[in-house]
Amino acid sequence: MGRRRKGEAVSGWICLDKPYDLTSTHAVSRVRRIFNAQKAGHAGTLDPLATGILPIALGEATKTVPFLVDADKSYRFTLAWGSTTTTLDREGAVVQTSDVRPGRAEVEAALPRFIGEIEQVPPAFSAIKVDGERAYDLARAGEAVELAARLVKVHDLRIADASDPDALTLEMDCGKGTYVRAFVRDLAQALGACAHVSELRRTRVGPFGEDRAIGLEVLEDLGHKARPSEALLPVETALDDIPALAVTAEDAFRLKQGRSIVLVPRQVETLKARLAPGSRTVSAMEGGSIVALCEMRAGKLEPSRVFHLDRAET
C-alpha cells in the first residue's frame, strides 16, 4: 500500500494579496499551513519587496498552474528619479546619480516606444539561470552577469501620478517575462536620467485581480475560525480562457480512466469557434466541476490532465 499523504485533500485557488517583505515561497507555506493542504504551489514569483496578487494553488489546482504562468499581468509601480542601483530597486547600492528630472510630457512622449513587442534585457538580479545558477546568486557574489535580450510584450503603459517631481507612478499591462525594473532602467536611459523602482505592486495575474484578493492576516483569521474555505476559488478559475464542455456522468467516468470520448459534429464546431489560435485544449466539466483537461483531435476529446475532485474539498 502507498503511503498516505499528510494533510487535507483540499483543492482550489487562493488569490493572495502578498504583503511586503515576504518571499513567494514563504507565502505559499503559510497558506498551505492555514488549510493543512497536502499540496500547494504558486503561479508567477513575486519579489519579496513587491506586494500584490500572488495566485496560490492547492491540491488539484496545482495541475492548472502552467496555464496561469503564461497569463498576462498588470503592475502599478513608482520610480524614483535621481539614482540607479545595482538591483534597479531601492534595496541596491547606488551606482549612478543624476539631477535630471523628466516632466510628464517628456515621459508620455517616450512611452510609445516601450509598447508592443519589444526587446528587453532582464536585470542581473533576476531568477534567470546562467549555466545552471540563478543570475541573482551570481550577481550577489560579485560576478559580472550578462543576460541576452528577450522579446516581451507590453500591452499598455500609462501614467497614474506625476505630482511629485522626484517620482513617477505608472501602470503596465504586459505579457509573461516582462520586468518592471528593466523597463524603469530603459526608460530612464532613454530620457537621459537615472531612476530605480521604489514601490511595486502586481494588480492582476490573468483572471486573478484585486477584486478577488485576500490579505494573509485575513486568511489566517479565517483559519483560526475554521472557515478558510470561504476564500477558496474553484480549480477552473485559472482556465477562464479555455473553452469548457459539459459532459455526461458516463463520459466523465471514461475521461477519469484516461480514455477518450467521441464528440458530435455540433460540439466540434462550437469548440473550434471558441479555441484560441493554435490551441486544442478543452476543459471537460460535470456538474459544475472540472473533470479533465483534454486535447481535441479528430472529433474526440483525449484527457491530458485528470482531476479527482470527488476526493477533495472544493
Side-chain angles (χ1 to χ4, degrees):
M1 294 181 62
R3 182 181 300 176
R4 185 175 180 179
R5 302 187 68 172
K6 294 182 179 180
E8 302 294 329
V10 55
S11 292
W13 282 94
I14 290 295
C15 183
L16 184 71
D17 189 340
K18 189 190 81 67
Y20 174 81
D21 205 20
L22 183 71
T23 68
S24 296
T25 300
H26 287 157
V28 171
S29 296
R30 289 175 65 172
V31 170
R32 183 177 182 178
R33 284 198 298 271
I34 292 170
F35 284 89
N36 188 30
Q38 292 177 351
K39 191 175 182 181
H42 67 77
T45 300
L46 200 56
D47 291 341
L49 303 183
T51 65
I53 305 303
L54 179 66
I56 295 178
L58 301 175
E60 294 290 279
T62 57
K63 296 177 180 178
T64 66
V65 166
F67 294 90
L68 203 59
V69 170
D70 292 340
D72 288 343
K73 300 172 179 64
S74 296
Y75 297 91
R76 181 184 175 93
F77 55 96
T78 299
L79 63 86
W81 298 115
S83 62
T84 301
T85 69
T86 52
T87 57
L88 304 180
D89 60 27
R90 65 182 182 183
E91 292 298 300
V94 174
V95 292
Q96 188 177 1
T97 60
S98 170
D99 293 329
V100 177
R101 301 291 188 273
R104 181 178 189 129
E106 291 178 86
V107 174
E108 286 182 333
L111 290 183
R113 76 185 73 173
F114 297 100
I115 297 175
E117 193 171 64
I118 63 172
E119 283 196 343
Q120 184 185 75
V121 177
F125 284 82
S126 63
I128 294 173
K129 286 192 174 182
V130 180
D131 296 329
E133 300 286 338
R134 296 290 185 186
Y136 55 66
D137 288 330
L138 298 174
R140 287 169 183 156
E143 295 188 32
V145 178
E146 293 187 9
L147 299 175
R150 297 181 169 194
L151 281 178
V152 298
K153 186 169 288 186
V154 176
H155 304 299
D156 192 26
L157 279 165
R158 53 200 174 271
I159 296 175
D161 186 2
S163 59
D164 183 350
D166 292 321
L168 181 72
T169 299
L170 299 103
E171 294 174 334
M172 172 190 283
D173 301 323
C174 58
K176 68 173 182 177
T178 307
Y179 283 90
V180 170
R181 288 176 293 139
F183 161 72
V184 168
R185 173 200 64 202
D186 296 342
L187 175 65
Q189 289 177 353
L191 295 171
C194 291
H196 64 271
V197 176
S198 59
E199 291 185 23
L200 174 60
R201 178 172 178 78
R202 189 159 66 191
T203 56
R204 181 178 65 88
V205 178
F208 296 89
E210 292 180 301
D211 58 328
R212 287 175 156 175
I214 184 169
L216 190 56
E217 290 185 358
V218 175
L219 187 60
E220 288 177 332
D221 183 58
L222 286 174
H224 294 322
K225 297 175 180 176
R227 292 161 44 199
S229 60
E230 293 180 12
L232 204 60
L233 299 172
V235 168
E236 57 270 17
T237 305
L239 308 173
D240 70 327
D241 58 347
I242 294 176
L245 176 70
V247 299
T248 64
E250 181 180 353
D251 282 344
F253 180 75
R254 289 179 63 88
L255 291 171
K256 287 182 179 182
Q257 289 186 319
R259 296 186 290 166
S260 62
I261 61 173
V262 178
L263 302 174
V264 299
R266 176 177 53 80
Q267 291 175 316
V268 173
E269 293 305 313
T270 299
L271 291 172
K272 280 184 177 179
R274 296 171 58 199
L275 285 169
S279 174
R280 296 174 178 269
T281 305
V282 174
S283 56
M285 308 285 293
E286 184 207 4
S289 294
I290 189 167
V291 173
L293 280 169
C294 308
E295 296 296 302
M296 188 172 73
R297 291 188 178 90
K300 296 181 179 181
L301 285 188
E302 301 175 356
S304 55
R305 287 185 177 88
V306 175
F307 297 83
H308 301 285
L309 297 178
D310 51 326
R311 299 199 304 268
E313 178 185 338
T314 59

